[in-house]
């Protein structure tokens, strides 16, 4: 006997096809039916029917099966369905070139009701190929809670060419934790290859939430030749069904069931959609919970214990726990601020214009004050009306537990859930924000803030998420905390006026689980406060500015940059170079001084640098103009590699100077594709960061299978400018100059200090950053940014970031002391004066070099001639004097000789005691014998000392005893 089945041939050019018989086994087979003309290629049956090939007619599906008519559905994921494949893309080589094979174990994993993606940074594609006879569509449900994992869906044709597809259908939007979203894309006729691709951005030490996929449905396959049986836990009661229904609780079904079988509820149970019954375990402390009743008419409350629904445990068996008795009735806690009791069982909000601390009746605000609006929840007797709680199971849409969070008097805590990997959701919706009247005209960066106090107590890998959804566009994770955390406070500032939903999601474990093993792991929130909420209540009053009109009690808005003078209730402008802190107490203290080297904008909303800085040391003043560096500087450091070889870079944008319009912008081009390009260019959108310093993680396209480089994880590093100084410390932030050794000390480094006001789980005081500007004449005016070699990520502790900006534009402004004069040689009676910069030149701009000067001068030839003339004159004088004194000396020598000779003549007369001129001797003969001398200075002094005033001469005894010569003095 020959067994066969029918199939259609490919459609020809006329749109016709033939039905042919195909043997089920290869080999000779005789007696096959002849081919007959088949139905039109576009023919299809209705939902709940299939095409019976022998008669080529549409026939209803039997009970226990279903059909989509012209579509197929995949909703059972116990194993990978036929036609699906999972392919991991090899990563680039790591720094050692040995990481190409580390992604072989990464794949999409069937988990029964859904498919689970990889949790690492490997790029893994789930692929399915389908041939459509007509235009159709594909739809699927997914969970995508973690933006650390990239998730895209795209379509290729049979030529491996990507089909035209808009970005909002290619990149999947994030979903709330535990919630399923549906994505639908139209398909063209012909071959369509469907790709679901995931890839991690940066894994680090944090566990990544995987993407979950289920209920894949494809329309447009033209016909289906058989019906699909219902999977276990599902059934279809009547023939011609287009879908199967889940079995009710405490019932089960097998494969292709038309009805569900009840369990023996006395000893067994089954969750909705179960394929089998389970034995009920003995009741334990994990099977019940406690809650506080609402206040009764006497103002009393009590603790009551209830079994977790649905109850799956047995009480009357060995080792079973019993339900504890209810607690004693206790006085209800006071109302929350802004509410009053008024001797009733419930708390009511105070009327508009009044306030209360929750313990006293509502009162009117005093004159020159206005009520403060907001929420302040610190007593948890009942869930506030603007808050909701829910529970989401990873595999199902809802948990079986009634409440995700439970009120507990002085706190609200996470509930039990139906399994340990449930998401327990707590939500508060704020429709908008309203600044106080006196601050309503301010264009500051803070419209409101939410502050909550919490703790987590865990034995497993629990995690608490704090998320926000602005204008119902996309939910983003603001902060998260893993494992046990001590009681602490977290504050988030709202920087624009918009409708926002804040969500807390607690998950006990990230691992798949159908049982409650860690039910005692709990998250507690003690207080939640939201300021300036437009629909809030008033817990107090704050000062407001009054109109200048006489006897007016109306609050009026203050102009931007003005604070309220509490004594006069009038608006007063903040002093120069101060900024106004809007959420502080009114008065002069609301104006805070700007840091060194900074100034405030005209509205006193923030401090900034105008690119000018002055430093004085001793008698020297250095003036800097940093505008040459440009408005925004960028730095791409790396590359870095993860443990699996993924290459990534950290991209920093830094704005040193300027006001709001010149801030740096970091954009996420993956997880916020719902915004328009014009918004993205302006830095708008949930994942666009606009601040002084921001950081993005860049993953190059090569090696990941993506077509463009990916920018993700944009974070704010600095939104407040603290000041600029040459000091190494400012406001508790240290510059750490040892990270950048300086070779020259002639020009000091200028440090710009920044801080981010938003705290993180690892940085309680927020992140901070120091940008060190260093004069380097060898660099361009734009300069070059770098990070410390010891800290290639820009930070050594994860909280303080350090940058070095070397530039010739960071050199001080040139002054007269930066150049010197050089005097040229005197040539032709002219001398040149040149001015040159002192090397090395460590200045920019400022004064220019003076022009070359030419001055008249006396050359060396003149001085040589003058010197020669003076020399000749001096020589003649010396020769003349020498001759004169020589001649005179000869005369004196001659006279002396004559005197000696005359003294030696023998006198015929006897010698006398003295000689005198004898009578008859002529005067001429005596001339040669008389020597006229002047007394010496010593002789005069001796004469004065002896007081011989009349001694005008002295006797000189000659050698001869016969004749003497008279010497006049």
């Amino acid at each position: 006997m020959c067994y066969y089945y029918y199939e259609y041939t490919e459609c020809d050019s006329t749109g016709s096809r033939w039905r042919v018989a195909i043997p089920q086994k290869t080999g000779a087979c005789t007696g096959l039916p002849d081919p007959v003309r088949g139905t039109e290629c576009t023919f299809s049956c209705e939902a709940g029917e299939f095409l019976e090939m022998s008669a080529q007619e549409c026939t209803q599906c039997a009970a226990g099966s279903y059909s989509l008519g012209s579509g197929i559905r995949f909703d059972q994921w116990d194993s990978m369905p036929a036609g699906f494949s999972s392919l991991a893309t090899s990563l680039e080589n790591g720094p050692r070139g040995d990481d190409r094979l580390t992604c072989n174990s990464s794949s999409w994993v069937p988990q029964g009701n859904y498919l689970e993606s990889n949790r690492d940074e490997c790029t893994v594609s789930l692929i399915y190929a389908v041939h459509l006879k007509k235009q159709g569509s594909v739809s699927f449900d997914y969970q995508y809670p973690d933006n650390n994992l990239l998730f895209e869906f795209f379509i290729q044709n049979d030529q491996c060419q990507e089909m035209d597809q808009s970005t909002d259908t290619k990149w999947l939007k994030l979903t709330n934790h535990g919630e399923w979203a549906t994505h639908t894309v139209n398909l063209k006729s012909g071959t369509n290859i469907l790709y679901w691709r995931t890839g991690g951005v940066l894994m680090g030490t944090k566990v990544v939430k995987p993407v979950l996929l289920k209920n894949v449905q494809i329309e447009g396959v033209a016909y289906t030749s058989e019906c699909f049986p219902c999977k276990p836990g599902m059934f279809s009661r009547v023939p011609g069904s287009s879908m199967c229904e889940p079995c009710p609780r405490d019932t089960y079904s097998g494969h292709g069931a038309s009805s569900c079988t009840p369990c023996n509820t006395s000893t067994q149970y089954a969750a909705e959609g179960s394929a089998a019954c389970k034995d009920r375990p003995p009741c334990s402390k994990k099977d019940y919970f406690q809650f506080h009743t609402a206040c009764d008419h006497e103002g009393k409350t009590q603790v009551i214990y209830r079994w977790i629904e649905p109850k799956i445990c047995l009480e009357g068996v060995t080792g079973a726990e019993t339900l504890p008795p209810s607690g004693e009735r206790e006085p209800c806690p006071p109302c929350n601020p802004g509410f009053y009791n008024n001797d009733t069982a419930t708390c009511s909000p105070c009327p508009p214009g009044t306030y209360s601390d929750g313990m006293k009746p509502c009162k009117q605000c005093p004159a020159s004050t206005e009520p403060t609006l907001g929420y302040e929840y610190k007593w948890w007797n009942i869930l506030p009306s603007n808050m909701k709680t829910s529970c989401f199971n990873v595999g199902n849409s809802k948990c079986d537990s009634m409440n995700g969070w439970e009120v507990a008097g002085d706190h609200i805590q996470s509930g039990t859930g139906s399994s340990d990997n449930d998401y327990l959701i707590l939500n508060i919706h704020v429709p908008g924000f309203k600044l106080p009247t006196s601050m309503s005209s301010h264009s500051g960066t803070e419209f409101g803030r939410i502050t909550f106090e919490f703790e987590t107590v865990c034995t497993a890998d629990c995690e608490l998420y704090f998320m926000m959804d602005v204008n119902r566009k996309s939910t983003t994770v603001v902060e998260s905390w893993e494992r046990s955390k001590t009681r602490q406070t977290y504050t988030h500032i709202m920087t624009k006026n918009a409708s926002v939903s804040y969500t807390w999601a607690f998950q006990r474990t990230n691992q798949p689980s159908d049982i409650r093993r860690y039910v005692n792991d709990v998250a507690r929130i003690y207080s939640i406060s939201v300021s300036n909420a437009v629909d809030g209540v008033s817990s107090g009053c704050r000062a407001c500015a009054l109109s200048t009109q006489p006897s007016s009690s109306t609050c009026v808005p203050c102009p931007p940059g003005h604070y309220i003078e509490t004594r006069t209730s009038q608006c007063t402008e903040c002093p120069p170079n101060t900024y106004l802190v809007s959420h502080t107490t009114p008065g002069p203290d609301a104006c805070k001084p700007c840091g060194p080297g900074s100034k405030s904008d005209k509205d006193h909303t923030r401090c900034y640098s105008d690119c000018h800085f002055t430093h004085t040391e001793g008698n020297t003043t250095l003036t800097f103009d940093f505008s040459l560096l440009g408005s925004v500087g960028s730095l791409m450091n790396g590359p870095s590699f993860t443990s699996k070889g993924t290459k990534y870079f950290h991209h920093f944008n830094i704005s040193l100077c300027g006001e709001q319009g010149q801030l740096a912008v970091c954009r996420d081009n993956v997880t916020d594709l719902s915004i328009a390009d014009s918004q993205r260019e302006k830095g708008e959108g949930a994942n666009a960061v606009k601040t002084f310093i921001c950081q993005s993680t860049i993953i190059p396209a090569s090696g990941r299978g993506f077509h463009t480089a990916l920018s993700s994880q944009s974070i704010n590093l600095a939104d407040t400018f603290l000041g600029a100084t040459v000091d190494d410390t400012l406001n508790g932030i240290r510059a750490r100059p040892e990270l950048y050794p300086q070779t020259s000390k002639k020009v000091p480094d200028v440090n710009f200090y920044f801080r981010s006001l938003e705290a993180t789980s690892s940085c309680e005081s927020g992140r901070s950053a120091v940008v060190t500007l260093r004069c380097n004449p060898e660099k361009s005016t734009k300069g070059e940014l770098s990070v410390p070699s010891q800290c290639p990520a820009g930070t050594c502790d994860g909280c303080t970031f350090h940058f070095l900006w070397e530039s010739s534009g960071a050199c001080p402004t040139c002054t007269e002391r930066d150049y010197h004069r050089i005097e040229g040689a005197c040539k032709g009676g002219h001398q040149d004066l040149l001015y040159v910069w002192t090397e090395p030149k460590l200045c920019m701009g400022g004064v220019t070099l003076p022009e070359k000067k030419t001055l008249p001068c006396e050359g060396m030839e003149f001085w040589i001639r003058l010197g020669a003339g003076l020399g000749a004159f001096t020589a003649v004088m010396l020769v003349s004097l020498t001759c004169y004194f020589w001649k005179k000396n000869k005369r004196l020598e001659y006279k002396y000789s004559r005197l000696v000779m005359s003294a030696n003549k023998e006198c015929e007369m006897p010698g006398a005691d003295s000689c005198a001129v004898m009578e008859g001797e002529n005067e001429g003969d005596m001339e040669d014998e008389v020597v006229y001398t002047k007394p010496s200075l010593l002789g005069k002094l001796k004469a004065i000392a002896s007081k011989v005033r009349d001694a005008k001469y002295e006797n000189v005894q000659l050698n001869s005893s016969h004749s003497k010569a008279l010497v006049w003095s």
Side-chain angles (χ1 to χ4, degrees):
M1 182 179 292
C2 184
Y3 294 96
Y4 59 90
Y5 61 93
Y6 291 111
E7 275 193 5
Y8 281 126
T9 62
E10 293 291 331
C11 295
D12 57 24
S13 59
T14 63
S16 300
R17 56 187 175 182
W18 293 80
R19 188 201 68 178
V20 296
I22 307 297
Q24 292 184 353
K25 294 182 179 180
T26 58
C29 186
T30 59
L32 293 176
D34 294 331
V36 297
R37 183 172 294 275
T39 60
E40 296 295 326
C41 289
T42 57
F43 175 83
S44 63
C45 296
E46 298 293 331
E49 298 178 339
F50 71 101
L51 182 63
E52 203 282 314
M53 293 294 290
S54 59
Q56 298 193 70
E57 294 180 351
C58 293
T59 305
Q60 282 190 339
C61 292
S65 62
Y66 73 96
S67 169
L68 299 178
S70 61
I72 51 177
R73 178 189 294 140
F74 301 95
D75 56 5
Q76 187 172 353
W77 305 95
D78 296 316
S79 60
M80 192 69 76
F84 281 86
S85 61
S86 181
L87 176 64
T89 303
S90 298
L91 299 177
E92 292 180 330
N93 283 336
R96 297 177 303 275
D98 55 357
D99 294 325
R100 292 194 63 88
L101 303 179
T102 55
C103 289
N104 288 347
S105 60
S106 299
S107 66
W108 287 77
V109 181
Q111 295 288 357
N113 292 326
Y114 56 87
L115 271 177
E116 181 181 282
S117 74
N118 59 311
R119 297 170 181 249
D120 51 31
E121 67 265 27
C122 295
T123 300
V124 183
S125 298
L126 178 68
I127 306 172
Y128 182 76
V130 61
H131 187 80
L132 301 186
K133 300 299 182 181
K134 59 181 181 180
Q135 290 185 350
S137 64
V138 57
S139 64
F140 53 89
D141 297 335
Y142 71 95
Q143 281 189 15
Y144 177 31
D146 198 337
N147 63 356
N148 288 309
L149 203 65
L150 304 178
F151 183 31
E152 64 172 337
F153 173 73
F154 62 95
I155 306 162
Q156 289 183 351
N157 58 20
D158 53 0
Q159 302 297 320
C160 294
Q161 297 172 338
E162 189 168 333
M163 310 285 277
D164 293 336
Q165 193 174 353
S166 59
T167 55
D168 59 343
T169 59
K170 179 178 179 179
W171 294 100
L172 280 299
K173 298 179 182 178
L174 291 171
T175 61
N176 293 335
H177 287 67
E179 293 184 353
W180 291 89
T182 301
H183 189 70
T184 303
V185 178
N186 294 326
L187 302 177
K188 296 181 179 180
S189 59
T191 300
N192 292 264
I193 306 175
L194 312 181
Y195 286 84
W196 292 266
R197 177 179 288 172
T198 58
V201 180
L202 284 182
M203 300 298 103
T205 59
K206 195 170 185 177
V207 178
V208 175
K209 307 293 182 183
V211 173
L212 307 183
L213 184 68
K214 69 176 184 178
N215 295 338
V216 178
Q217 182 170 318
I218 303 173
E219 296 284 350
V221 294
Y223 76 95
T224 178
S225 60
E226 60 180 350
C227 295
F228 299 96
C230 295
K231 68 177 183 178
M234 308 287 285
F235 74 102
S236 63
R237 183 180 291 107
V238 296
S241 297
S242 61
M243 60 181 299
C244 298
E245 302 176 21
C247 287
R249 183 178 292 122
D250 292 331
T251 64
Y252 72 99
S253 70
H255 189 76
S258 59
S259 63
C260 298
T261 305
C263 299
N264 181 4
T265 55
S266 61
T267 58
Q268 293 179 321
Y269 76 97
E272 183 181 17
S274 295
C277 296
K278 298 180 181 179
D279 293 333
R280 294 181 181 270
C283 290
S284 65
K285 293 181 180 180
K286 299 178 180 180
D287 294 308
Y288 62 81
F289 66 97
Q290 70 174 34
F291 69 96
H292 288 72
T293 62
C295 288
D296 56 21
H297 64 283
E298 297 180 355
K300 301 284 187 177
T301 184
Q302 67 179 147
V303 175
I304 292 181
Y305 296 88
R306 284 186 179 176
W307 295 111
I308 297 173
E309 295 294 338
K311 183 183 177 183
I312 61 173
C313 63
L314 294 176
E315 294 184 68
V317 296
T318 304
E321 292 278 346
T322 58
L323 196 66
S326 300
E328 296 182 0
R329 297 173 69 243
E330 300 175 350
C332 291
C335 296
N336 283 309
F339 292 82
Y340 71 102
N341 193 311
N342 201 20
D343 297 329
T344 61
T346 59
C347 294
S348 302
C350 287
T354 63
Y355 73 98
S356 173
D357 61 357
M359 304 178 67
K360 299 177 182 178
C362 301
K363 298 187 299 184
Q364 291 285 340
C365 285
S368 70
T369 63
E370 61 178 332
T372 59
L373 295 179
Y375 319 121
E376 189 175 352
Y377 301 132
K378 57 183 180 181
W379 301 109
W380 304 92
N381 184 49
I382 60 172
L383 191 69
S385 59
N386 63 339
M387 298 186 70
K388 295 180 180 179
T389 178
S390 58
C391 176
F392 288 94
N393 184 269
V394 172
N396 302 315
S397 59
K398 290 278 186 179
C399 296
D400 293 330
S401 178
M402 295 295 293
N403 293 320
W405 289 69
E406 305 163 354
V407 294
D410 65 341
H411 66 275
I412 184 171
Q413 65 182 21
S414 56
T416 54
S418 61
S419 62
D420 285 339
N421 64 339
D422 291 345
Y423 288 101
L424 308 175
I425 307 297
L426 179 66
N427 175 272
I428 182 172
H429 178 67
V430 183
F433 296 88
K434 181 181 179 182
L435 291 173
T437 302
S438 300
M439 308 293 296
S440 58
S441 64
H442 292 199
S443 58
T445 58
E446 178 178 339
F447 285 92
R449 56 175 57 195
I450 180 171
T451 302
F452 58 93
E453 187 178 6
F454 72 98
E455 71 173 348
T456 56
V457 180
C458 303
T459 57
D461 57 334
C462 71
E463 189 163 6
L464 175 65
Y465 299 88
F466 174 60
M467 303 173 288
M468 62 182 292
D469 182 1
V470 179
N471 293 330
R472 302 186 183 276
K473 285 186 177 181
S474 177
T475 300
T476 58
V477 176
V478 179
E479 191 56 80
S480 62
W481 298 267
E482 295 179 339
R483 302 189 178 274
S484 294
K485 296 296 179 183
T486 57
R487 188 167 175 173
Q488 57 188 276
T489 300
Y490 180 80
T491 299
H492 175 72
I493 298 175
M494 190 66 184
T495 57
K496 64 179 179 179
N497 193 358
S499 172
V500 60
S501 291
Y502 296 108
T503 302
W504 294 265
F506 180 68
Q507 188 182 38
R508 291 185 173 90
T509 179
N510 190 30
Q511 303 302 319
S513 175
D514 292 330
I515 59 175
R516 292 188 293 265
R517 184 179 304 166
Y518 308 110
V519 70
N520 292 326
D521 292 2
V522 64
R524 299 187 182 97
I525 297 179
Y526 293 92
S527 64
I528 299 175
S529 64
V530 181
S531 65
N532 300 336
V534 69
D535 63 341
V537 294
S538 177
S539 61
C541 302
R542 62 170 288 154
C544 70
L546 300 180
S547 173
T548 56
Q549 297 179 359
S551 67
S552 175
S553 60
T554 304
C555 293
V556 296
C558 284
H562 287 64
Y563 67 92
I564 303 171
E565 180 57 63
T566 55
R567 294 176 299 176
T568 61
S569 297
Q570 297 297 313
C571 300
T572 305
E573 186 176 5
C574 286
N577 293 331
T578 62
Y579 65 97
L580 183 64
V581 182
S582 58
H583 63 274
T584 57
T585 305
D589 292 339
C591 301
K592 305 295 182 183
C594 293
S598 64
K599 59 191 299 184
S600 63
D601 57 7
K602 62 179 181 179
D603 292 338
H604 296 275
T605 58
R606 65 168 61 207
C607 299
Y608 70 98
S609 170
D610 61 355
C611 285
H612 292 86
F613 178 76
T614 301
H615 170 64
T616 301
E617 185 174 352
N619 296 326
T620 303
T621 299
L622 300 178
T623 302
F624 297 83
D625 182 5
F626 298 124
S627 60
L628 299 175
L629 277 67
S631 58
V632 177
S634 297
L635 166 65
M636 180 92 75
N637 72 332
S640 300
F641 295 87
T642 64
S643 59
K644 294 217 169 187
T646 301
K647 179 195 291 186
Y648 66 93
F649 300 85
H650 281 146
H651 185 264
F652 300 93
N653 285 331
I654 300 175
S655 173
L656 285 179
C657 314
E659 300 185 48
Q660 185 76 15
Q662 296 177 315
L663 296 179
V665 178
C666 292
R667 302 179 183 88
D668 188 338
N669 69 351
V670 177
T671 58
D672 193 27
L673 297 166
S674 60
I675 64 173
D677 292 338
S678 58
Q679 290 178 289
R680 191 174 292 111
E681 290 175 359
K682 296 178 182 178
E684 299 176 359
N687 292 301
V689 178
K690 190 173 185 180
T691 183
F692 282 108
I693 303 177
C694 58
Q695 172 193 299
S696 297
T697 300
I698 306 297
I699 301 178
S702 58
R704 297 301 304 273
F706 298 111
H707 300 290
T708 60
L710 304 180
S711 173
S712 185
Q713 296 181 342
S714 298
I715 60 175
N716 169 24
L717 299 183
D719 51 24
T720 302
F721 177 57
L722 301 179
T725 176
V726 298
D727 297 333
D728 295 338
T729 304
L730 182 65
N731 290 1
I733 304 175
R734 184 169 175 267
R736 298 190 62 184
E738 69 274 7
L739 296 176
Y740 305 107
Q742 190 174 8
T743 57
S744 175
K745 302 291 185 180
K746 294 183 179 180
V747 178
D749 292 341
V750 181
N751 299 313
F752 277 61
Y753 292 87
F754 300 88
R755 185 186 294 280
S756 173
L757 298 179
E758 190 166 330
T760 65
S761 57
S762 57
C763 307
E764 296 181 357
S765 300
R767 299 183 180 95
S768 58
V770 182
V771 181
T772 300
L773 301 183
R774 177 170 295 174
C775 172
N776 189 339
E778 298 179 358
K779 302 291 184 180
S780 64
T781 54
K782 295 291 184 181
E784 179 181 326
L785 274 164
S786 62
V787 294
S789 58
Q790 302 93 318
C791 314
T795 176
C796 300
D797 57 5
C799 295
T800 302
F801 289 76
H802 298 271
F803 304 94
L804 176 65
W805 199 335
E806 292 184 283
S807 166
S808 57
C811 296
T813 303
C814 294
T815 61
E816 288 80 1
R817 64 175 175 272
D818 293 309
Y819 62 82
H820 60 276
R821 187 178 71 178
I822 297 178
E823 297 180 355
C826 184
K827 295 181 179 180
H830 295 86
Q831 182 183 31
D832 292 334
L833 299 181
L834 299 177
Y835 297 87
V836 296
W837 296 110
T838 302
E839 294 296 336
K841 182 185 177 185
L842 299 175
C843 65
M844 282 289 293
V847 301
T848 59
L849 286 176
E851 297 292 336
K852 182 179 70 173
K853 296 180 181 179
T854 301
L855 300 177
C857 63
E858 299 294 342
M860 290 298 296
E861 298 176 357
F862 169 78
W863 294 108
I864 291 174
R865 288 196 299 269
L866 179 62
L870 291 176
F873 176 76
T874 303
V876 172
M877 289 295 296
L878 290 176
V879 171
S880 301
L881 290 174
T882 301
C883 294
Y884 169 75
F885 286 108
W886 178 81
K887 183 178 181 181
K888 191 171 184 179
N889 185 57
K890 286 295 185 179
R891 290 182 63 192
L892 291 176
E893 184 180 356
Y894 171 74
K895 291 179 180 181
Y896 180 75
S897 301
R898 290 285 304 272
L899 182 61
V900 172
M901 292 175 60
S902 62
N904 292 329
K905 288 181 180 182
E906 295 182 358
C907 294
E908 297 178 357
M909 306 261 327
D913 294 333
S914 62
C915 294
V917 179
M918 298 298 180
E919 186 178 355
E921 290 184 354
N922 58 36
E923 197 171 334
D925 296 333
M926 293 295 295
E927 184 178 356
D928 293 335
E929 300 178 7
V930 180
V931 179
Y932 295 88
T933 63
K934 291 185 178 181
S936 66
L937 178 62
L938 181 60
K940 290 184 178 182
L941 292 176
K942 290 181 179 180
I944 294 173
S946 60
K947 297 182 180 181
V948 183
R949 299 178 182 269
D950 55 345
K952 300 299 181 181
Y953 61 92
E954 57 182 337
N955 295 325
V956 178
Q957 183 70 39
L958 298 177
N959 293 333
S960 176
S961 58
H962 300 284
S963 64
K964 296 186 184 294
L966 180 63
V967 180
W968 296 91
S969 61

